[in-house]
Amino acid sequence: MQALIQWLSGPAVPNTFPYSPVLHEFHLSGKHFVDKSLLSLLDSARRTVAGQPPGSDDATSRELTDFLDVALDKWDGRYDYRSYLALRLLRLPCGAGEQTLGAQPADARRARDQLLVRLVADTLAFELAAAAHTTELLPQDRPGPEVVVKRCRLGIRAVTPALTRLGVADSIATGHPTVVAASLHTIADDLAGPGDPSLRLSMLPVHVTHDEYLFIRVLQGYECLFAGVADELRAAVTTLAGKTPSAAADRLGYASDLLRTAGPLFSLLATMRSESFRTFRQYTEGASAIQSRSYKMIESLCRAPQAERLDSVAYLSVPEVQAQVRGGQPTIDETYRSAVSDGRLTGAADILVQRQMAAFADALTQWRRTHLRVAVRMLGSRPGTGYTEGTPYLAAVSTLPVFTTVTTEKPGADQS
Ligand code: HEM
């Protein structure tokens, strides 16, 4: 607090902002319980930064503003899924004014792989530090040593495909999962470049329960994957509308792989104790992944949602996506159908695209089923934090067809 008062009484230069003491205060109680006087000072800091003329260090100033917006979401009455996960700080899709990772498609794929590896490596590093009693962060309900080993094993499995794509899978140590996890942390540190998003600023749990760290990082990891999948699907739509629609098969294949190989992330999350989850979720009301922009982009890029769903809480929770759908956002379903009816996609090329669409539909359906299973286990019959009745909503949406032109059951068969 003293450090913040001092900073405010000086020139308030963004790159000297006392992040560490502020984070420490938040971590002592959890964001939900932070002292109002600290929040008031942070609000003054935000006004001060907003009033400063644009300078040479705009990136630092933007990072500070984004951090303050995340720290003050409950104070402002704006707390939601995107602010809970600090998506803007991680440069993941979160609506207006967002900055994304990587300018070119290859850069974006690489940047997302790096971020995913860093997020998982960071959560395993936290598990190891807690087990070694070298951190006081989130001290409530620490897991036992067997769970820590299991988390290490599953976390490593979840990032192995990304490590392979990044060409660093061979650098990782072999042996006991905790040794491998420690080496993953070193590799992840090396992957981070000077302008990359700061992970430490993106961890503001609402409470002091140990497992909330894992929960936040797994959600952030999935957001990273969803953003990548949405990019691939957008490219598939453009390709299907162009001269060589068969090239969409590669983008669909990449998207399926991203979703499918991330399965161990759910297994990692499933190691969370449901009692721990229920403890911290008392303070996450209003933040639900029903507000995930990238997930709804994925769904609506595959095919246009029916009016009933578009008008429901599912899309009311993501107004920008709802507006894009209403504005006639092209879909894979529709561009595929046109490519076939125009005679641009025929024979073996058509079958190849159909197969990849069916594989993607399979991967997404599988994701939905796994999500439902984990949610039932953690939540039981309690309502969701996104104002649905909870798992009955998930059960209903898990059977929604991904495409209307191709189903998951009959890859290769023409059902249009
Ligand atoms: C403890 C684990 C989890 C539980 C209990 C859970 C529960 C729920 C519930 C009840 C909903 C319905 C909306 C609401 O009222 O909140 C929902 C929606 C959703 N969840 Fe989860 N969830 C969990 C983990 C995850 C993870 C790790 C992700 C990955 C990002 C995720 C992504 C989603 C998405 C995208 C939706 C919106 C689905 C739609 O609108 O069709 N969830 N979740």
Side-chain angles (χ1 to χ4, degrees), residues 77-91:
R78 291 182 289 100
Y79 169 74
D80 67 4
Y81 178 72
R82 302 167 199 192
S83 65
Y84 179 45
L85 297 187
L87 295 184
R88 194 180 295 279
L89 275 165
L90 293 175
R91 286 183 231 139

Side-chain angles (χ1 to χ4, degrees), residues 331-344:
T331 65
I332 292 184
D333 232 12
E334 172 193 319
T335 46
Y336 166 76
R337 197 180 283 117
S338 304
V340 172
S341 64
D342 297 353
R344 284 178 294 114

Side-chain angles (χ1 to χ4, degrees), residues 27-43:
H27 291 160
L28 277 183
S29 60
K31 191 199 267 186
H32 192 78
F33 299 96
V34 171
D35 202 294
K36 298 273 180 296
S37 52
L38 171 59
L39 296 176
S40 170
L41 285 171
L42 289 173
D43 201 8

Side-chain angles (χ1 to χ4, degrees), residues 219 222 288-290 295-296 309 367 371 378 384-386 388 393:
L219 285 166
Y222 266 119
S288 160
I290 203 167
Y295 181 81
K296 291 292 171 8
R309 181 148 168 88
W367 184 90
H371 173 237
M378 297 292 169
T385 47
T388 72
Y393 167 82

Side-chain angles (χ1 to χ4, degrees), residues 90-374:
L90 293 175
R91 286 183 231 139
L92 291 171
C94 57
E98 68 196 21
Q99 269 197 302
T100 47
L101 289 166
Q104 299 302 319
D107 297 343
R109 282 180 175 182
R110 196 176 164 78
R112 292 218 181 84
D113 278 341
Q114 286 174 346
L115 181 58
L116 178 71
V117 170
R118 290 177 61 212
L119 290 167
V120 174
D122 177 73
T123 201
L124 299 187
F126 173 60
E127 295 297 335
L128 293 178
H133 306 288
T134 55
T135 178
E136 288 171 4
L137 185 59
L138 313 189
Q140 196 166 305
D141 294 335
R142 289 264 160 94
E146 281 162 27
V147 173
V148 175
V149 171
K150 191 171 179 188
R151 287 183 178 175
C152 290
R153 195 163 35 74
L154 292 167
I156 293 153
R157 268 182 51 205
V159 295
T160 299
L163 290 171
T164 306
R165 286 191 295 268
L166 290 167
V168 294
D170 290 345
S171 324
I172 198 156
T174 51
H176 194 269
T178 53
V179 174
V180 186
S183 105
L184 176 68
H185 192 228
T186 312
I187 292 173
D189 270 353
D190 293 345
L191 287 176
D196 283 341
S198 158
L199 293 199
R200 76 179 184 128
L201 302 187
S202 70
M203 180 51 69
L204 290 183
V206 291
H207 190 242
V208 292
T209 305
H210 175 94
D211 280 359
E212 195 183 348
Y213 201 105
L214 178 75
F215 183 65
I216 290 179
R217 288 294 188 231
V218 168
L219 285 166
Q220 290 169 335
Y222 266 119
E223 279 299 319
C224 183
L225 286 159
F226 289 164
V229 171
D231 270 2
E232 300 300 326
L233 298 184
R234 240 180 250 112
V237 169
T238 311
T239 312
L240 281 169
K243 284 189 185 140
T244 48
S246 60
D250 283 349
R251 307 309 292 252
L252 285 158
Y254 196 91
S256 307
D257 284 350
L258 283 180
L259 261 192
R260 209 174 26 77
T261 60
L265 267 187
F266 259 136
S267 313
L268 177 60
L269 186 65
T271 64
M272 182 168 68
R273 287 177 64 233
S274 53
E275 294 81 1
S276 297
F277 174 64
R278 287 177 210 150
T279 302
F280 66 76
R281 85 180 286 275
Q282 297 174 82
Y283 315 110
T284 61
E285 194 62 36
S288 160
I290 203 167
Q291 297 151 352
S292 167
R293 183 177 182 268
S294 294
Y295 181 81
K296 291 292 171 8
M297 278 308 298
I298 292 174
E299 183 183 287
S300 62
L301 280 166
C302 289
R303 72 175 174 98
Q306 295 202 310
E308 195 192 343
R309 181 148 168 88
L310 190 59
D311 295 336
S312 76
V313 64
Y315 279 83
L316 288 171
S317 307
V318 282
E320 324 83 20
V321 183
Q322 190 189 45
Q324 286 185 39
V325 173
R326 292 214 164 111
Q329 169 183 269
T331 65
I332 292 184
D333 232 12
E334 172 193 319
T335 46
Y336 166 76
R337 197 180 283 117
S338 304
V340 172
S341 64
D342 297 353
R344 284 178 294 114
L345 188 61
T346 57
D350 177 16
I351 290 176
L352 180 67
V353 172
Q354 281 186 48
R355 286 222 167 99
Q356 293 298 358
M357 284 171 70
F360 182 77
D362 262 338
L364 187 57
T365 305
Q366 189 53 51
W367 184 90
R368 287 172 175 164
R369 287 191 192 129
T370 312
H371 173 237
L372 173 61
R373 257 201 322 274
V374 174

